[in-house]
Amino acid sequence: MEKEISNGILSIKLENDLTATNVRKIEQGIKSYVFDTNDEFSDVELDLSNVENIDSVGISFLIIIYKLAEKKQKTYKLININENVESILRLMKLDETFGLK
Amino acid sequence: MKLKISIKSSFEEVDRAAQIIKSFMEQNLQNADKRSIFIIVFSLRELLNNAVEHGNDFDFNKDVYCDFSIEGRRITIEVKDQGSGFDIDMVRKRITEKEFLSERTRGISTLENIGFKIDVNDNAVIASVDIDKIKVVRK
């Protein structure tokens, strides 16, 4: 998992699929990035270019990070989303929540 | 055409089963687009995850059984765990963001949104769908 803060944006690039097995491994790390990092960023971007598969545990994880960002008054968006993953998020009516156009 | 798989109660085993069934579909479904196969694998994971987590409570001594069949354009997934079963009316709710965070309610209604018909028989869930009628949302 890569993390970078640049121009006020905290970018986190996920390395694997967002399925139950992987979410359990990365959840705590990402929560601490968003919660514990000093407030030198105003936006949170989650880069999903390596995410080819997702399940509902993964979707819940995306919502939880969104809630954390909202609590800290940061904007939140998902970038580089695979079309299949995006179609599931749209089906779940989460496109607006995640800033999908 | 039917594929029968049994797995131990772990998410790693769910990953393994999802890979096997995805390959089975790619080999045996004529003219199915990749998006539909992706959505079926998503749905399959939902059923298996629920069986592992809520049915068998991650008990490695309990198994999850999955029968996956293709008859023409009809896909049927039957997942059976060794837990005590559940009441489908309790989980058949409209998905909202809040409900999605509540682990127990999300699965069945998500599959129904996709287009699956769901039946529950004790600790078995049977989900079936016509592959050409899967709800695919595009931009």
Side-chain angles (χ1 to χ4, degrees):
Chain A
M1 193 164 49
E2 293 172 29
K3 178 187 88 164
E4 183 186 304
I5 297 178
S6 172
N7 299 322
I9 300 173
L10 168 66
S11 299
I12 301 168
K13 187 171 186 175
L14 303 180
E15 288 169 1
N16 292 304
D17 287 340
L18 269 179
T19 54
T21 320
N22 295 328
V23 168
R24 287 194 303 183
K25 293 175 190 164
I26 63 171
E27 189 169 20
Q28 209 48 49
I30 292 195
K31 279 183 185 171
S32 67
Y33 285 167
V34 178
F35 250 134
D36 302 338
T37 311
N38 291 332
D39 278 340
E40 62 240 25
F41 61 94
S42 57
D43 304 321
V44 178
E45 266 183 8
L46 223 49
D47 185 335
L48 304 189
S49 50
N50 294 323
V51 176
E52 290 186 6
N53 289 292
I54 192 165
D55 61 15
S56 61
V57 177
I59 294 176
S60 293
F61 165 79
L62 294 177
I63 296 172
I64 287 166
I65 302 302
Y66 161 72
K67 293 286 182 192
L68 290 181
E70 190 182 43
K71 206 169 183 175
K72 293 200 79 177
Q73 298 180 313
K74 313 293 184 190
T75 64
Y76 174 79
K77 75 176 170 181
L78 307 179
I79 60 169
N80 299 327
I81 309 178
N82 160 318
E83 283 187 0
N84 289 334
V85 173
E86 185 173 336
S87 75
I88 289 285
L89 298 179
R90 288 187 187 281
L91 186 73
M92 305 289 107
K93 299 183 171 57
L94 292 166
D95 40 331
E96 282 188 23
T97 303
F98 295 146
L100 305 179
K101 289 176 184 169
Chain B
M1 221 170 310
K2 188 177 264 193
L3 180 65
K4 286 174 175 279
I5 295 181
S6 66
I7 62 170
K8 294 290 177 191
S9 298
S10 74
F11 288 144
E12 287 79 5
E13 286 277 280
V14 172
D15 285 339
R16 186 173 69 82
Q19 282 302 323
I20 292 170
I21 290 174
K22 184 182 177 200
S23 300
F24 180 73
M25 278 193 287
E26 287 169 346
Q27 288 165 14
N28 294 295
L29 264 175
Q30 304 296 320
N31 304 320
D33 69 70
K34 287 184 178 175
R35 181 76 49 87
S36 297
I37 290 179
F38 174 86
I39 289 172
I40 291 173
V41 172
F42 173 88
S43 305
L44 171 76
R45 283 181 179 276
E46 189 58 44
L47 295 169
L48 294 174
N49 282 349
N50 275 341
V52 162
E53 184 173 7
H54 303 292
N56 288 352
D57 196 23
F58 297 109
D59 183 343
F60 215 68
N61 294 313
K62 292 180 178 175
D63 294 331
V64 172
Y65 306 95
C66 177
D67 286 2
F68 186 93
S69 68
I70 302 170
E71 293 169 63
R73 308 299 286 168
R74 193 84 188 158
I75 305 288
T76 303
I77 308 168
E78 179 172 351
V79 172
K80 188 173 184 181
D81 58 50
Q82 296 184 293
S84 54
F86 65 97
D87 178 357
I88 192 167
D89 291 330
M90 293 293 289
V91 296
R92 185 175 272 151
K93 293 180 178 176
R94 184 175 172 274
I95 282 282
T96 64
E97 189 180 288
K98 187 180 171 192
E99 284 167 355
F100 211 90
L101 285 171
S102 164
E103 295 192 5
R104 200 60 193 113
T105 62
R106 66 187 171 217
I108 300 299
S109 44
T110 302
L111 265 60
E112 287 182 330
N113 277 348
I114 288 168
F116 278 89
K117 179 180 178 296
I118 309 286
D119 289 306
V120 176
N121 184 3
D122 291 331
N123 51 0
V125 180
I126 302 156
S128 60
V129 69
D130 183 326
I131 193 156
D132 299 315
K133 293 183 181 164
I134 287 175
K135 189 171 174 184
V136 176
V137 180
R138 299 181 196 278
K139 276 187 199 175

